Amino acid sequence: MGNRLKEALLIEEIRYPMASYISHLECTVCGKSYPHEQLIGISPCCEKVLFARYDLAKLGREVDRDSLVSRPDTMWRYAELLPVDDTGSIVTLGEGGTPLIRTVNLAEKLGMTNLYIKEEGLNPTGTFKARGISAAVSKAVELGVNGFTMPSAGNAAGAAAAYGARAGMETKVFMPQDAPDANKKETLVAGSELNLVEGLINDAGREAVAVAKELGLFDLSTLKEPYRAEGKKSMGLEMAQQLGWKMPDAVIYPTGGGTGIIGMYKGFKELLELGWIEGKQPKFISVQADGCQPIVRAFDAGADSSEMWENATTKADGLRVPHPFADYLILEAIRSTGGTALAVSDQEMIDAMYEMATSEGIFPAPEGAATLVGLKKLLGQKFLDPDESVVLFNTGSGYKYLDLISGQKRS
Ligand SMILES: *Cc1c(COP(=O)(O)O)cnc(C)c1O
């Protein structure tokens, strides 16, 4: 990698030593190891998700958790637990370091004492997709890629376009034809090639893989490379740190491809193994849309994997993933933590966008608003207790979904 790139990539001089403790990659099905020094997508053995593994014993001996806190407030403050070896390869726009906002009015209304919103809408490109894409693009740059393909229902495309531009690399995006305007435009403005595909994200995925193969580009599909989940893992690390190295009792997360839930569950496991936190993992709760709920159906059926959700429709584009590739890992995170999965309607999400904004001043994406609907249902069913500490994930900014908001004041 040239110096030009190196200079261009750093938004700030990172003065602390940042050595990744990554040791290898591991197949999430059979446990087979692979070196992390090569570009790789899914596991060749089982054709499933690969996880990055770290030398946690060494990290635990050499690094003090509190030394991370004084670093610049981006996700790269956790560099030891992220996959990039060479600082110069980091492609960053300042992702992460988002506030964990303790709600006042919502908590009071719901009779709760510890209700938080993790405000991921403040990330570059307006969603938490920035975290995963920053990690994946950085590692790919380190390993010498020429460019990227990205199939996306929306926000991942915007992030890939932005980070691709930042890295000075070609990015080809594949989107369902009816993807939101905001996502099409942010992709185009960043100079990516935008390919509109008939069908859904799965169809876009097939095309992206084919083009990547043909042109020697690296495909960034959700969980079909190991590092986007590592970037999203930083949400868990950050949340634990923000709570004073503690975990909440429950995390409510709008689930599409599942990178966030899988990443955070993995991150908490690593922190527990390091001894940086204690106790049991939060209940992971997946919220999906009525019109696309493969994980809810699989969870209810007691299945270990999901079936394709036919004719998936929802205005929450991040949730329009009819057959998540990593379904088995999402279900494991939910089940092993005593969590649950439930679906909400688009209208409920839109109403909750207003409610979150009216009560706390946070203008959420419909996906983020879905977590508030889920919370209310689970309090009503007494699945959650108002005394429990709960974190809602607002995964994106409502500014990307202005067409869902009418021009009139609601009474
Ligand atoms: C992609 C996306 C989701 C789903 O995220 P996963 O981690 O893939 O499950 C939720 N909300 C928004 C706004 C998204 O863009």
Side-chain angles (χ1 to χ4, degrees):
M1 203 193 48
N3 277 336
R4 187 197 64 79
L5 191 54
K6 197 160 182 159
E7 277 160 31
L9 294 181
L10 293 169
I11 54 163
E12 61 208 353
E13 208 180 323
I14 299 177
R15 290 173 191 282
Y16 45 88
M18 296 203 326
S20 172
Y21 283 74
I22 189 168
S23 53
H24 62 283
L25 298 170
E26 187 182 286
C27 174
T28 50
V29 174
C30 73
K32 189 168 181 214
S33 299
Y34 295 91
H36 70 92
E37 296 89 352
Q38 67 182 44
L39 274 174
I40 189 168
I42 55 177
S43 68
C45 46
C46 304
E47 303 195 322
K48 292 287 185 182
V49 178
L50 280 171
F51 267 173
R53 294 297 184 201
Y54 298 79
D55 188 344
L56 295 176
K58 183 155 176 267
L59 206 175
R61 281 194 306 274
E62 295 179 354
V63 179
D64 167 19
R65 69 177 189 195
D66 294 316
S67 69
L68 278 54
V69 180
S70 59
R71 297 173 177 177
D73 202 1
T74 82
M75 72 172 200
W76 293 100
R77 65 157 44 137
Y78 309 108
E80 286 86 345
L81 282 165
L82 291 173
V84 180
D85 280 322
D86 170 16
T87 326
S89 299
I90 292 176
V91 182
T92 178
L93 293 166
E95 54 292 327
T98 61
L100 182 65
I101 296 169
R102 188 183 200 127
T103 68
V104 180
N105 303 312
L106 265 182
E108 192 183 306
K109 197 156 112 186
L110 299 172
M112 297 180 73
T113 38
N114 289 303
L115 175 62
Y116 301 87
I117 298 174
K118 184 74 172 143
E119 178 37 330
E120 291 292 306
L122 294 175
N123 275 297
T125 70
T127 75
F128 68 162
K129 289 290 191 303
R131 295 181 187 256
I133 300 299
S134 175
V137 165
S138 298
K139 186 69 182 178
V141 164
E142 178 171 87
L143 297 177
V145 286
N146 302 315
F148 302 98
T149 58
M150 167 61 100
S152 165
N155 290 318
Y163 285 86
R166 178 86 170 147
M169 284 184 189
E170 175 185 21
T171 306
K172 292 181 190 291
V173 164
F174 298 80
M175 252 185 221
Q177 250 155 11
D178 57 349
D181 228 28
N183 299 129
K184 290 178 186 161
K185 286 180 177 167
E186 67 182 342
T187 300
L188 291 169
V189 82
S192 287
E193 180 186 294
L194 173 59
N195 301 280
L196 296 176
V197 176
E198 233 172 279
L200 292 181
I201 178 75
N202 298 47
D203 306 291
R206 257 190 306 279
E207 281 204 32
V209 170
V211 170
K213 219 180 228 162
E214 187 190 324
L215 300 179
L217 303 175
F218 188 65
D219 183 50
L220 290 167
S221 299
T222 304
L223 289 153
K224 291 191 178 165
E225 59 72 50
Y227 301 117
R228 281 176 63 189
E230 292 302 296
K232 290 238 185 133
K233 175 179 89 176
S234 67
M235 297 190 292
L237 309 180
E238 209 170 284
M239 187 178 11
Q241 186 205 310
Q242 287 171 322
L243 290 170
W245 297 110
K246 289 198 172 63
M247 291 174 284
D249 295 315
V251 168
I252 308 187
Y253 184 85
T255 306
T259 344
I261 215 166
I262 292 166
M264 285 190 279
Y265 175 66
K266 179 175 186 286
F268 287 141
K269 266 196 181 170
E270 289 169 0
L271 292 181
L272 285 164
E273 198 176 324
L274 282 166
W276 289 8
I277 55 174
E278 288 171 8
K280 65 182 189 18
Q281 288 242 7
K283 293 184 272 256
F284 276 103
I285 297 164
S286 267
V287 179
Q288 297 202 296
D290 269 353
C292 182
Q293 40 169 315
I295 293 299
V296 178
R297 183 168 63 185
F299 179 78
D300 288 345
D304 294 333
S305 62
S306 67
E307 311 239 330
M308 177 80 175
W309 189 273
E310 300 294 341
N311 304 315
T313 50
T314 168
K315 296 198 159 84
D317 290 270
L319 306 186
R320 208 161 54 130
V321 184
H323 195 194
F325 180 65
D327 50 7
Y328 62 109
L329 296 173
I330 303 171
L331 289 160
E332 183 199 326
I334 298 171
R335 288 220 176 88
S336 67
T337 58
T340 188
L342 74 170
V344 309
S345 73
D346 280 12
Q347 191 56 53
E348 287 174 311
M349 289 185 219
I350 293 169
D351 292 344
M353 288 172 79
Y354 282 84
E355 188 175 1
M356 210 182 259
T358 307
S359 52
E360 300 293 341
I362 295 168
F363 182 18
E367 294 89 341
T371 63
L372 174 56
V373 183
L375 170 66
K376 291 207 255 181
K377 291 190 186 207
L378 293 171
L379 286 170
Q381 295 165 13
K382 307 221 180 308
F383 180 88
L384 289 175
D385 185 282
D387 290 335
E388 289 180 291
S389 60
V390 176
V391 176
L392 306 181
F393 265 82
N394 176 36
T395 46
S397 166
Y399 290 107
K400 295 186 100 169
Y401 300 81
L402 288 175
D403 55 324
L404 298 183
I405 303 300
S406 84
Q408 245 87 85
K409 183 178 189 302
R410 273 199 178 180
S411 49

